[in-house]
Amino acid sequence: MKIAVLGGGTAGFIAASHLTRSLPQAALLHVFDSRIPTIGVGEGTTPRFRTWFEEVTGLGLSDLAERCRATSKKGLRFEKWGSVGSDFLNRFQPTRLLGYHLDATELVRVLGEYVRAERVDARVEEVIKSADGARVRLENGDTHFCDYVFDARGFPPNFKRGHGDMAELLQLDWIPTGRAMLRRLPEKDLSGVTRAVARPHGWIFQIPLQGSTSCGYIFNANISPDTEVDHDFTAFLHQEGIFSWIPRGALNFPNFVRHRVFDGRIFWLGNAAAFLEPLEATAICTGVLEIREAARLISDHGSNGGVDPVQVEKFNRKMLTYVVRNSLFLAWHYACGSAWDTPFWEYAMQGMERARKCAMVQPHLVDMEAFVEAGRELPGLALSEYEDQAQWDREAYPLLRLFRPFGNFSELNFSQVGHGIGYYASDHFHRN
Ligand SMILES: Cc1cc2nc3c(=O)[nH]c(=O)nc-3n(C[C@H](O)[C@H](O)[C@H](O)COP(=O)(O)OP(=O)(O)OC[C@H]3O[C@@H](n4cnc5c(N)ncnc54)[C@H](O)[C@@H]3O)c2cc1C
């Protein structure tokens, strides 16, 4: 069996290293064009990545601290979000689970050591599916016939609404942001959390790495021009006593998921498959979930004659559900606004109403209500405080009701965020 991975960003290397390990009998081709840069951000992970990374490489925090300037991540601290006015933490649950903050460029170098593949540095011109495989055509005219292709070539080329292949994408318009302005700051505090600080035009993330802090302002370019965001970004950093940084530019991003991330021969992966604003750092863990499921699908059902259509649709439904549910949880973070009464926050607060107008997400919203209600009963803010796993087992575990996730999140995450933003003080979910 021959499998091609297209793309040399985080998603491409996650796929290539995973397939090297999980399908050792397959001949692997890894194609990426070194003239096309990777996106270069993606520094916060969830515990799903940490577990996967240890499985594939055998490496842990101390290796990654040295190689990728990594620090441990307990969760995400929200500042000035919601109607309550206090900071709160959405901590990974249970307590023993941790993620990483790491340098995305270095991560790719480390993963490269765990890839066994024929490497080709070339531009892919076209991928053409046929009944028995897919043909990858390169710019020099070479073609490679493969049984399966993983396309991790980054954002779809025309992600503005109505362009190119947009019919294949579900726009997740309830996410209120679409642009990021990036700066690298000096190392600040290695607090073990990503910060998400609400600001008039959106929110600012700070990711603590060894030796520097990755920082970005996430906003909506239709509401706030770059000049105003730049000004507020600088004002915020000055308030924090930071007067020097390295500008890293600005970029647009879409919030979307492909209706079908697998067509029977081609898997789309990473930013080519789906993207949500980086609020809960879901991108890398979505890639890890997909490659695990895809490798299992190929190994269980796809060796001879391809994966049967029933399995293909099951796979697509699972991935679509996962991303849509994550998107609804993210939109819900904005439901009670923030310390700022601005056009951005007015728009952001209406996200759940925008979601309710999309017929396709109705069943997910119905299920989400169970998580919102479960979260109400749980002691949200106290859940963030646990440091000791044994104590968590004794006190928090017996309170659980649902024992299943909503996308990447559980009733414990709903509780921490819901109580944190003040959602349960007033019932926004049922408001029209
Ligand atoms: C502001 C911001 C913050 C983010 N923060 C996080 C975070 O904290 N956590 C998280 O999980 N994610 C985060 N992300 C998401 C992050 O982008 C992804 O996790 C991750 O980097 C996946 O990128 P990728 O590999 O899909 O694509 P890319 O990094 O864009 O890589 C694309 C690859 O494809 C190659 N390529 C492209 N076209 C061709 C072609 N025609 N032929 C051959 N090769 C080609 C390129 O050379 C490159 O190697 C963030 C994103 C943004 C915008």
Side-chain angles (χ1 to χ4, degrees):
M1 178 163 39
K2 184 162 178 173
I3 302 180
V5 174
L6 314 180
T10 311
F13 273 94
I14 285 177
S17 55
H18 188 88
L19 294 171
T20 297
R21 186 165 182 273
S22 62
L23 297 176
Q25 74 285 10
L28 203 57
L29 175 73
H30 192 184
V31 187
F32 52 93
D33 185 343
S34 56
R35 295 164 301 181
I36 305 173
T38 63
I39 193 165
V41 272
E43 292 134 323
T45 78
T46 64
R48 186 190 293 279
F49 172 80
R50 192 166 171 142
T51 311
W52 172 85
F53 185 79
E54 281 168 17
E55 257 172 58
V56 168
T57 67
L59 302 178
L61 176 62
S62 57
D63 310 287
L64 272 185
E66 200 179 306
R67 306 268 323 261
C68 300
R69 307 192 296 117
T71 65
S72 216
K73 176 178 171 187
K74 282 198 286 197
L76 180 61
R77 189 170 74 226
F78 292 83
E79 300 173 32
K80 298 198 180 315
W81 286 71
S83 54
V84 179
S86 323
D87 299 352
F88 64 95
L89 185 65
N90 182 17
R91 196 193 161 122
F92 299 131
Q93 301 281 338
T95 300
R96 73 185 144 73
L97 291 183
L98 295 168
Y100 287 128
H101 301 115
L102 43 76
D103 181 321
T105 316
E106 292 302 325
L107 173 67
V108 157
R109 292 205 183 98
V110 174
L111 287 175
E113 294 167 17
Y114 297 85
V115 175
R116 201 177 55 252
E118 179 193 347
R119 286 212 184 147
V120 178
D121 187 346
R123 187 184 169 82
V124 175
E125 289 292 348
E126 207 177 5
V127 185
I128 308 146
K129 184 191 163 199
S130 60
D132 54 350
R135 200 172 296 280
V136 177
R137 189 168 63 77
L138 307 182
E139 65 181 337
N140 63 7
D142 285 357
T143 60
H144 295 266
F145 184 78
C146 302
D147 296 278
Y148 297 99
V149 172
F150 286 83
D151 189 344
R153 285 181 290 161
F155 289 142
N158 293 316
F159 63 69
K160 284 204 178 120
R161 189 186 287 279
H163 283 231
D165 61 359
M166 291 303 283
E168 296 173 8
L169 316 181
L170 173 66
Q171 304 277 332
L172 305 169
D173 286 340
W174 34 99
I175 305 283
T177 62
R179 188 161 171 79
M181 190 177 287
L182 303 167
R183 295 179 181 177
R184 191 175 292 287
L185 316 180
E187 179 176 306
K188 209 167 151 248
D189 66 319
L190 300 180
S191 54
V193 294
T194 299
R195 286 176 77 195
V197 185
R199 295 296 301 177
H201 304 290
W203 56 276
I204 290 176
F205 69 80
Q206 283 194 353
I207 296 183
L209 302 172
Q210 310 261 359
S212 69
T213 302
S214 174
C215 189
Y217 202 131
I218 307 296
F219 62 103
N220 184 321
N222 294 328
I223 299 174
S224 310
D226 278 13
T227 43
E228 284 183 25
V229 173
D230 188 67
H231 186 262
D232 187 58
F233 204 172
T234 299
F236 166 77
L237 294 177
H238 285 177
Q239 280 162 24
E240 299 243 308
I242 300 166
F243 297 94
S244 68
W245 53 80
I246 301 167
R248 296 173 72 201
L251 73 148
N252 292 331
F253 55 82
N255 296 292
F256 79 101
V257 56
R258 277 185 182 272
H259 290 287
R260 303 175 84 237
V261 297
F262 179 42
D263 71 359
R265 291 293 174 180
I266 304 165
F267 292 88
W268 285 268
L269 191 75
N271 291 354
F275 189 79
L276 302 176
E277 67 161 23
L279 185 59
E280 289 277 1
T282 50
I284 293 175
C285 75
T286 303
V288 165
L289 176 76
E290 185 181 342
I291 191 65
R292 274 191 194 282
E293 297 280 330
R296 212 173 296 137
L297 193 65
I298 293 173
S299 129
D300 292 351
H301 303 280
S303 310
N304 301 313
V307 181
D308 83 67
V310 174
Q311 296 296 337
V312 171
E313 291 323 314
K314 209 169 141 195
F315 178 90
N316 283 323
R317 226 179 9 258
K318 182 166 186 175
M319 291 309 302
L320 185 70
T321 296
Y322 183 76
V323 176
V324 166
R325 290 182 169 214
N326 287 343
S327 76
L328 293 172
F329 183 57
L330 292 197
W332 190 61
H333 286 60
Y334 292 91
C336 299
S338 76
W340 310 97
D341 185 11
T342 57
F344 170 81
W345 282 95
E346 200 181 313
Y347 175 72
M349 283 174 76
Q350 292 155 10
M352 294 310 293
E353 271 122 77
R354 286 195 294 282
R356 264 177 237 137
K357 290 186 185 135
C358 175
M360 195 256 130
V361 306
Q362 294 304 327
H364 303 295
L365 282 168
V366 170
D367 202 34
M368 181 170 166
E369 269 191 78
F371 285 81
V372 171
E373 285 314 307
R376 182 196 299 273
E377 302 307 320
L378 288 162
L381 303 181
L383 290 170
S384 329
E385 304 290 325
Y386 285 103
E387 293 294 340
D388 177 52
Q389 183 60 43
Q391 190 188 2
W392 187 96
D393 290 342
R394 277 195 313 277
E395 296 173 9
Y397 183 76
L399 303 175
L400 292 181
R401 292 288 169 268
L402 299 178
F403 295 101
R404 63 191 170 92
F406 184 82
N408 189 52
F409 302 97
S410 74
E411 59 205 277
L412 302 167
N413 303 110
F414 273 84
S415 185
Q416 291 177 96
V417 172
H419 285 288
I421 61 175
Y423 188 83
Y424 300 120
S426 54
D427 213 335
H428 293 259
F429 200 62
H430 299 285
R431 205 186 55 184
N432 243 341

